[in-house]
């Protein structure tokens, strides 16, 4: 009351007495109480109506969800009654009317469990209905892609309606973590289970909705135990709901969206966060600001419910009330204010002389309170500081500590008050004579600011590295009486700096020197070598990639650490071992006067590597390839020595591995030539430098040309014509063989189509596949795409495979060959007899043609054993219902023998060498050919 009377407004309005003010306040208070009671009664009535409307809307929304659950149960009972054996037509007939009944029910689906082994047959069967069908998964970007390899898939097999739901057909629900978790809960419980709010496949991922999932068990019954339910699960039935449309249509149909109230439905996303899925804005009446103040704010009401184990929240918003609903309370307010002002006008004013004194006293008291509060704030700020702060005396000997904040006591290990009175030197490490301490002593002596990095000792003898700042505190006369000492603990930062410095020079996996330190070690070795040479050795562990591919990266790293330890132990202390990357190491050998001594010391390292190594129960034996370059003969700087050592090491690997090569200048020329060839090969396909030559395949019985084999040639503008044997191995090694092989396949098929359209007959074209190309997962799809693009009939394409590429993974090779055979493509085994020649596998392979290698054909005339071998291969092939083509036929004697043995077709120089398109086309137009190029 006193503060109100001291307000400047009342100071200026001196005609108003205290009694009048008290009277007016009492009247206004009574009026406010009566107005509040009346307004509360009106508000409770309005809220009761609001709650009733919200309950009705809540019932309509939950009823819509219940309808969706009832449709899902009905669909699930259909599968349960038949034990899961429902045809697509039966599903459509049953599910389509259910889905059409409610617009928010986007789809009813049946998802079927299949294994990876069942996947090819499953996809092939569905492609008869949907040509581009494939089991797919959703990428993090939201796009659909072919599903990766997994042991089990949960594939959407039946969808109703299919219109607008095509993306769901073939979708693997097992690939999504949230859908999979919800499906597992549904299988374990046997009850309908809902997912959180998800981005649906429908609407290209733009729709948010909910999936209701219910399991389908074998024989229809729900097993009693969770383990039995998991084993008996055949798949799931699924209802896809647009939650926003569900709420909107259900409330609109019941005419519950009118009345001005706002509605918001919140679900939960996969992270558990609240997500709005439906919003209906409240109608806002146009009110003046004073009307809004009198009418009060908007009112909200939230109700929650569960659907399939997932909680939903429906929030209703009531707009501010208008004045016509508050007539009674506003009347009380108006009459009360008028009566209060009338009563206050009758009261006389009394003297207010003491008011000024009271105001002055209050102002002085407020100033003192503010000053005391500021002092307390500064004290609390220092005590709460995270960094140690000390106040030391500048006038007493030893600079004793007069104050230490709690952070200082905690950091140094002292209890409260234990540092008081102790000299400042107690904080320094005993016996330390660091430059930083001398800087601090001089700053204290000169009464100036100081800063230094020092090492401190805590009470429990831990060592700290601290940044210490000293600042003088002067009195009103400018004399220094105290110093403020602030400390920043930088121990962790200094340790981190040291660790970074170590990591910059040493390999983190093996602890050996890295490339940066290696260059420094070579320079030091050269500087200290005098007249003796310095040897740089590039050391590669042979076939180490096999360890990572078979045993995994963790065991591979353990093996590398063990090998690094052996290498370091086999060297002298003056030598250096460094890890250059992967399984490549570099050695620097000093004190070896010639190559013989360097080779002997290197041999000790290689023998240490070759010792059997036990890693996690596996016994590993490694070989090594090494290249050696010596200073100054092979290079006068570290970069040149390392480069030449690596060139020699690559030479050792090319000559069979597990060997040592000393650098020679011609190796660099060979490496440069290989590098140039590799660079040219990378641009050859882009610049259209490849061409195809074709060698005819002649039917022995009729002499007709029935097919050709496509052979690639490379015409480089500088290198001229490059033979395949020079660049095919390089293409295999660099991975370029895959795009090059795809180009050969496409170009060969396109040329064969041109020949057939030109009326040259139903010719067959043979295309060789490389091992790398055959192992590509999309090979079958690539072949199908090429056939579709070129229009070549599948039986006019013959893919030639070697035995060795199939033996790497026989089962996978057989599956790939079966897929190709299912397309109608012919398959042949090229160079038969030179690889594994396993008859047990040959019997299982879906092969049409065996091609006898030219090395067997060459021995027909001069070797009875060779002739017998060829006859045996032909008999074997015919017994397995395969055709036989003999390659490399060059003489009439060979031709006559093959004809007598019943060989079906031949190709070789006796008829034609591999020729360009125009030369082969002239031969094809003749139709029938004679040996040595003589036409019939």
């Amino acid at each position: 009351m006193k503060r109100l009377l001291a307000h400047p407004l009342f100071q200026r309005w001196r005609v108003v007495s205290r009694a009048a003010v008290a009277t007016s306040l009492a009247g206004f208070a009574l009026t406010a109480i009566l107005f509040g009671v009346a307004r509360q009664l009106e508000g409770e009535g309005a809220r009761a109506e609001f709650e009733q409307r919200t309950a009705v809307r809540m019932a309509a929304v939950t009823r819509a969800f219940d309808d969706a659950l009832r449709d899902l149960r009905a669909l699930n009972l259909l599968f349960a009654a038949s034990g899961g054996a429902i045809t697509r037509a039966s599903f459509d007939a049953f599910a389509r009317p259910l889905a059409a009944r409610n617009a928010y029910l986007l789809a009813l689906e049946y998802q079927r469990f299949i294994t990876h082994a069942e996947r090819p047959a499953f996809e092939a069967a569905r492609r008869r209905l949907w040509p581009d069908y494939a089991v797919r998964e959703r990428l993090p970007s939201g796009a659909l892609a072919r599903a990766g390899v997994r042991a089990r898939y949960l594939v959407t097999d039946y969808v109703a309606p299919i219109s607008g739901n095509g993306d769901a057909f073939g979708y693997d629900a097992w690939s999504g973590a949230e859908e999979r978790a919800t499906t597992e809960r549904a299988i374990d419980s046997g009850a309908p289970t809902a997912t959180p709010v998800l981005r649906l496949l429908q609407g290209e991922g733009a729709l948010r909705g909910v999936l209701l999932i219910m399991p389908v068990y074998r024989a229809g019954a729900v097993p009693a135990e969770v383990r039995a339910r998991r084993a008996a699960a055949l798949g799931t039935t699924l209802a896809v709901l647009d939650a926003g449309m569900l709420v909107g249509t259900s409330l609109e149909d019941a005419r519950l969206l009118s009345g001005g109230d706002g509605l918001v439905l919140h679900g939960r996303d996969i992270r558990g966060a609240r997500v709005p899925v439906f919003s209906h804005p409240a109608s806002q009446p146009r009110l003046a600001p004073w009307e809004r103040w009198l009418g009060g704010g908007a009112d909200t009401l939230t109700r929650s419910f569960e659907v399939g184990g997932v909680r939903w929240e429906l929030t209703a918003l009531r707009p501010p009330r208008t004045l016509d609903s508050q007539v009674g309370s506003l009347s009380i307010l108006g009459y009360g204010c008028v009566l209060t002002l009338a009563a206050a006008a009758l009261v006389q004013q009394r003297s207010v002389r003491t008011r000024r004194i009271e105001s002055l006293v209050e102002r002085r008291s407020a100033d003192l309170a503010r000053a005391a509060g500021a002092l307390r704030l500064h004290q609390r700020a220092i005590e709460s500081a995270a960094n140690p702060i000390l106040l030391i005396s500048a006038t007493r000997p030893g600079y004793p500590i007069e104050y230490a904040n709690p952070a200082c006591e905690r950091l140094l290990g002292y209890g409260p008050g234990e540092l008081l009175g102790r000299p400042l030197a107690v904080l320094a490490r005993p016996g330390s004579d660091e430059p930083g301490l001398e800087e601090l002593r001089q700053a204290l002596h000169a009464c100036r600011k100081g800063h230094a990095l020092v090492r401190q000792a805590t009470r429990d003898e831990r060592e700290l590295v601290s940044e210490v700042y000293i600042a003088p505190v002067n009195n009103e006369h400018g004399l220094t009486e105290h110093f403020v000492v602030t400390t920043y603990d930088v121990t962790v930062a200094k340790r981190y700096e040291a660790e970074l410095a170590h990591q910059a020079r040493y390999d983190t996996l093996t602890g050996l020197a890295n490339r940066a330190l290696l260059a420094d070690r070579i320079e030091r070795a050269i500087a200290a070598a005098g007249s003796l040479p310095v040897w740089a050795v590039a050391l590669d562990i042979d076939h180490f990639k096999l360890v990572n591919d078979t045993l995994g990266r963790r065991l591979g790293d353990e093996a590398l650490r063990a090998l690094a330890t052996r290498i370091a132990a086999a060297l002298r202390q003056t030598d250096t071992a460094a890890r250059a990357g992967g399984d490549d190491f570099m050695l620097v050998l000093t004190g070896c006067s010639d190559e013989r001594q360097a080779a002997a010391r290197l041999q000790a390292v290689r023998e240490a590597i070759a010792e059997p190594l036990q890693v996690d129960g596996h016994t590993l034996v490694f070989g090594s390839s090494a290249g050696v370059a010596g200073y100054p003969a092979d290079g006068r700087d570290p970069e040149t020595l390392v480069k030449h050592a690596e060139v020699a090491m690559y030479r050792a690997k090319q000559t069979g591995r597990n060997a040592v090569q000393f650098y020679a200048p011609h190796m660099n020329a060979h490496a440069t030539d290989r590098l140039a060839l590799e660079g040219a090969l990378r641009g050859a396909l882009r610049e259209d430098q490849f061409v195809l030559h074709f060698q005819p395949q002649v039917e022995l019985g009729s002499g007709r040309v029935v097919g050709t084999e496509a052979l690639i040639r490379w015409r480089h503008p500088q290198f001229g014509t490059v033979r395949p044997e020079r660049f095919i191995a390089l293409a295999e090694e660099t991975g370029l063989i895959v795009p090059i092989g795809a180009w050969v396949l496409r170009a060969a098929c396109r040329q064969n189509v041109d020949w057939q359209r030109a009326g040259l007959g139903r010719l067959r074209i043979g295309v060789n596949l490389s091992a790398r190309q055959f192992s590509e997962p999309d090979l079958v799809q690539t072949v199908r795409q090429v056939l579709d693009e070129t229009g070549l009939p599948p039986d006019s394409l013959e893919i030639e495979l070697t035995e060795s590429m199939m033996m790497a993974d026989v089962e996978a090779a057989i599956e790939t060959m079966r897929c190709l055979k299912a397309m109608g493509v012919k398959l042949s085994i090229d160079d038969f007899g030179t690889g594994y020649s396993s008859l047990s596998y040959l019997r299982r392979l879906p092969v049409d043609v065996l091609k006898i290698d030219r090395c067997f054909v060459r021995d027909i005339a001069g070797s009875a054993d060779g002739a017998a071998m060829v006859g045996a291969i032909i008999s074997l092939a015919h017994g397995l219902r395969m055709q036989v083509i003999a390659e490399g036929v060059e003489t009439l004697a060979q031709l006559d023998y093959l004809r007598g043995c019943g060989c079906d077709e031949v190709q070789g120089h006796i008829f034609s060498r591999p020729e360009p398109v125009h030369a082969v086309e002239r031969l094809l137009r003749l139709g029938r050919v004679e040996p040595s190029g003589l036409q019939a």
Side-chain angles (χ1 to χ4, degrees):
M1 178 66 74
K2 289 182 179 181
R3 294 196 176 192
L4 179 62
L5 294 176
H7 195 276
L9 176 63
F10 289 98
Q11 291 291 324
R12 292 193 297 270
W13 192 20
R14 298 177 182 275
V15 296
V16 179
S17 66
R18 183 178 303 182
V21 172
T23 301
S24 64
L25 291 178
F28 286 133
L30 180 60
T31 301
I33 292 172
L34 294 175
F35 172 74
V37 171
R39 188 177 183 185
Q40 181 178 2
L41 294 175
E42 292 173 346
E44 289 177 353
R47 182 167 179 83
E49 295 177 0
F50 176 52
E51 289 179 351
Q52 184 178 8
R53 293 195 302 272
T54 303
V56 173
R57 294 182 175 114
M58 178 80 171
V61 172
T62 55
R63 184 169 58 252
F65 275 108
D66 290 340
D67 290 343
L69 284 171
R70 186 164 51 253
D71 292 343
L72 178 62
R73 286 192 175 95
L75 181 63
N76 193 267
L77 285 175
L78 176 67
F79 279 89
S82 63
I86 297 298
T87 65
R88 192 179 305 276
S90 300
F91 178 87
D92 287 343
F94 186 87
R96 193 171 293 172
L98 295 179
R101 189 169 57 189
N102 295 309
Y104 56 81
L105 185 57
L106 300 181
L108 289 171
E109 303 174 2
Y110 171 57
Q111 298 176 335
R112 185 191 305 274
F113 280 114
I114 64 170
T115 64
H116 179 65
E118 297 169 343
R119 177 177 173 178
F122 180 85
E123 289 180 331
R126 271 54 183 179
R127 288 193 191 103
R128 291 195 291 269
L129 298 175
W130 200 295
D132 294 330
Y133 180 89
V135 177
R136 296 175 296 170
E137 64 185 6
R138 184 155 50 182
L139 301 177
S141 63
L144 291 175
R146 184 177 178 86
V149 176
R150 283 185 289 279
R152 199 180 190 194
Y153 308 87
L154 182 58
V155 184
T156 302
D157 197 12
Y158 297 166
V159 183
I162 194 63
S163 176
N165 295 294
D167 288 344
F169 191 44
Y171 172 67
D172 176 23
W174 216 240
S175 63
E178 192 58 34
E179 295 179 52
R180 179 174 180 174
T182 305
T183 303
E184 289 175 343
R185 291 199 305 271
I187 292 173
D188 291 348
S189 65
T193 306
T195 66
V197 178
L198 301 173
R199 293 285 183 186
L200 301 178
L201 294 175
Q202 288 78 6
E204 297 180 351
L207 294 179
R208 279 185 173 178
V210 181
L211 308 181
L212 300 179
I213 302 172
M214 191 168 183
V216 176
Y217 299 104
R218 188 178 291 106
V222 180
E225 296 181 358
V226 173
R227 181 179 299 177
R229 292 174 189 166
R230 294 176 179 174
L234 296 175
T236 62
T237 52
L238 182 74
V240 182
L241 303 180
D242 185 341
M245 184 182 293
L246 180 144
V247 177
T249 55
S250 59
L251 295 178
E252 185 68 28
D253 292 343
R255 298 182 180 178
L256 296 176
L257 289 179
S258 59
D261 294 344
L263 288 174
V264 180
L265 179 67
H266 287 91
R268 300 282 177 174
D269 64 9
I270 60 176
R271 295 183 299 276
R274 296 172 74 243
V275 178
V277 297
F278 173 80
S279 177
H280 176 68
S283 60
Q284 298 292 333
R286 300 187 63 180
L287 301 176
W290 63 273
E291 291 177 306
R292 288 184 179 276
W293 178 77
L294 288 175
D299 195 8
T300 60
L301 186 63
T302 301
R303 293 290 184 265
S304 62
F305 61 94
E306 282 191 1
V307 177
V310 175
R311 180 169 294 277
W312 294 80
E313 295 180 354
L314 183 66
T315 301
L317 175 66
R318 187 193 67 189
R321 291 182 291 149
T322 56
L323 296 183
D324 56 0
S325 62
Q326 306 175 68
V327 174
S329 60
L330 293 177
S331 299
I332 293 174
L333 179 63
Y335 288 128
C337 290
V338 171
L339 292 175
T340 298
L341 293 175
L346 298 176
V347 180
Q348 294 292 333
Q349 154 183 336
R350 298 186 62 182
S351 175
V352 292
R353 185 172 53 183
T354 58
R355 193 176 305 158
R356 294 180 182 176
I357 299 175
E358 292 175 355
S359 176
L360 180 61
V361 170
E362 288 181 357
R363 285 199 300 271
R364 292 290 183 266
S365 299
D367 292 340
L368 291 174
R370 283 195 295 270
L375 290 175
R376 287 194 298 270
L377 177 61
H378 295 160
Q379 180 69 20
R380 289 197 303 271
I382 294 175
E383 292 180 350
S384 302
N387 294 310
I389 299 175
L390 296 170
L391 185 66
I392 62 176
S393 174
T395 59
R396 297 164 57 190
Y399 303 102
I401 300 172
E402 294 187 359
Y403 172 78
N405 71 340
C408 181
E409 295 170 342
R410 287 194 303 270
L411 180 66
L412 299 177
Y414 290 91
E418 289 185 357
L419 285 173
L420 301 183
R422 299 196 180 199
L424 182 62
V426 74
L427 304 183
R429 190 175 58 174
S432 175
D433 191 17
E434 303 178 59
L437 290 176
E438 183 60 29
E439 163 62 20
L440 295 180
R441 292 190 191 100
Q442 293 179 6
L444 291 172
H445 182 73
C447 294
R448 60 175 174 82
K449 293 182 179 181
H451 162 239
L453 180 69
V454 300
R455 297 182 182 274
Q456 293 180 276
T458 65
R459 193 173 191 178
D460 55 1
E461 299 183 354
R462 290 183 295 108
E463 183 178 286
L464 300 176
V465 181
S466 303
E467 294 270 2
V468 179
Y469 293 83
I470 292 179
V473 180
N474 300 330
N475 61 12
E476 63 273 14
H477 303 295
L479 300 177
T480 301
E481 294 183 344
H482 295 86
F483 287 96
V484 174
V485 182
T486 307
T487 303
Y488 298 92
D489 181 14
V490 294
T491 306
V492 175
K494 291 299 180 182
R495 289 175 183 169
Y496 184 61
E497 287 180 6
E499 182 179 349
L500 288 179
H502 182 273
Q503 291 179 358
R505 299 173 65 83
Y506 291 90
D507 179 56
T508 56
L509 176 65
T510 63
L512 300 180
N514 60 11
R515 279 190 176 270
L517 183 57
L518 173 67
D520 179 69
R521 293 288 177 85
I522 295 177
E523 289 180 351
R524 291 174 181 267
I526 290 174
S531 60
L532 291 177
V534 175
W535 304 93
V537 180
L539 184 67
D540 178 78
I541 308 301
D542 292 336
H543 304 296
F544 189 83
K545 182 177 182 297
L546 213 51
V547 176
N548 287 332
D549 292 344
T550 56
L551 302 183
R553 289 283 180 182
R554 183 182 63 82
L555 294 184
D557 289 346
E558 290 184 16
L560 275 179
R561 282 191 289 267
L563 290 175
T565 302
R566 290 184 177 184
I567 292 171
L571 295 176
R572 299 190 312 175
Q573 290 186 349
T574 57
D575 298 335
T576 298
R579 183 182 178 216
D583 58 343
D584 293 333
F585 297 88
M586 289 296 303
L587 311 180
V588 182
L589 307 181
T590 60
C592 301
S593 59
D594 54 26
E595 293 183 355
R596 180 181 56 80
Q597 292 183 5
R601 195 176 299 174
L602 176 57
Q603 183 60 28
V605 175
R606 296 180 66 239
E607 289 175 356
I609 293 173
E611 288 292 326
L613 178 64
Q614 298 292 330
V615 179
D616 197 21
H618 300 277
T619 302
L620 306 177
V621 179
F622 295 103
S624 58
S625 301
V628 186
Y631 167 86
D634 300 327
R636 291 184 172 273
D637 58 85
E639 182 179 356
T640 305
L641 278 178
V642 170
K643 181 182 74 172
H644 287 171
E646 289 177 342
V647 168
M649 183 265 289
Y650 289 133
R651 183 64 175 173
K653 292 173 66 174
Q654 289 175 355
T655 55
R657 299 181 185 267
N658 199 24
V660 177
Q661 287 282 344
F662 282 82
Y663 174 76
H666 73 273
M667 294 181 184
N668 204 29
H670 177 77
T672 303
D673 178 67
R674 183 184 183 279
L675 185 63
L677 189 65
E678 180 179 343
L681 185 60
R682 293 185 180 278
L685 195 60
R686 182 178 61 255
E687 297 172 7
D688 197 22
Q689 295 176 0
F690 291 116
V691 295
L692 289 183
H693 284 199
F694 300 88
Q695 186 172 33
Q697 295 172 338
V698 181
E699 187 178 62
L700 276 179
S702 62
R704 293 186 303 106
V705 178
V706 294
T708 60
E709 180 180 2
L711 302 168
I712 190 170
R713 296 292 185 269
W714 180 14
R715 293 180 177 175
H716 191 270
Q718 281 81 37
F719 301 150
T721 300
V722 184
R723 300 286 298 175
E725 54 268 17
R726 187 179 175 193
F727 69 85
I728 289 298
L730 181 60
E732 285 272 8
E733 183 179 341
T734 58
L736 293 172
I737 194 66
V738 175
I740 291 175
W743 177 87
V744 170
L745 179 63
R746 184 172 285 102
C749 291
R750 187 180 296 115
Q751 183 59 56
N752 201 22
V753 168
D754 291 343
W755 282 337
Q756 292 187 13
R757 290 176 178 173
L760 299 181
R762 189 85 167 190
L763 296 171
R764 184 182 67 241
I765 188 75
V767 178
N768 292 279
L769 288 189
S770 68
R772 181 76 172 268
Q773 200 175 358
F774 185 67
S775 63
E776 286 293 307
D778 60 346
L779 172 64
V780 176
Q781 181 63 28
T782 299
V783 174
R784 179 182 291 108
Q785 183 178 352
V786 169
L787 292 176
D788 291 342
E789 289 178 1
T790 60
L792 182 68
D795 59 355
S796 294
L797 173 62
E798 180 181 293
I799 292 179
E800 299 185 6
L801 311 169
T802 62
E803 297 172 82
S804 57
M805 73 170 64
M806 291 181 288
M807 293 304 118
D809 188 348
V810 176
E811 297 303 327
I814 291 175
E815 180 61 29
T816 301
M817 295 171 71
R818 285 177 177 168
C819 293
L820 292 172
K821 283 290 293 179
M823 293 167 51
V825 175
K826 293 184 179 298
L827 302 175
S828 68
I829 297 181
D830 196 11
D831 302 336
F832 180 76
T834 61
Y836 291 87
S837 301
S838 173
L839 299 182
S840 61
Y841 286 129
L842 182 62
R843 179 174 52 86
R844 297 176 56 196
L845 298 176
V847 175
D848 302 291
V849 179
L850 284 185
K851 300 190 72 173
I852 304 176
D853 187 68
R854 64 182 67 247
C855 66
F856 296 111
V857 175
R858 186 174 55 247
D859 295 337
I860 288 176
S863 171
D865 293 339
M869 181 70 73
V870 171
I873 293 175
I874 294 173
S875 298
L876 173 65
H878 287 166
L880 294 175
R881 296 179 298 280
M882 301 178 187
Q883 285 188 309
V884 181
I885 300 178
E887 294 183 299
V889 180
E890 298 180 353
T891 67
L892 291 174
Q894 295 170 350
L895 188 66
D896 292 339
Y897 184 82
L898 291 170
R899 185 181 287 114
C901 290
C903 182
D904 300 298
E905 299 173 12
V906 296
Q907 67 181 84
H909 295 175
I910 193 170
F911 289 108
S912 175
R913 295 176 180 271
E915 298 289 351
V917 174
H918 61 277
V920 175
E921 189 169 326
R922 288 197 301 268
L923 191 63
L924 296 178
R925 292 188 181 279
L926 296 174
R928 193 168 174 275
V929 296
E930 292 292 336
S932 300
L934 300 177
Q935 290 77 26

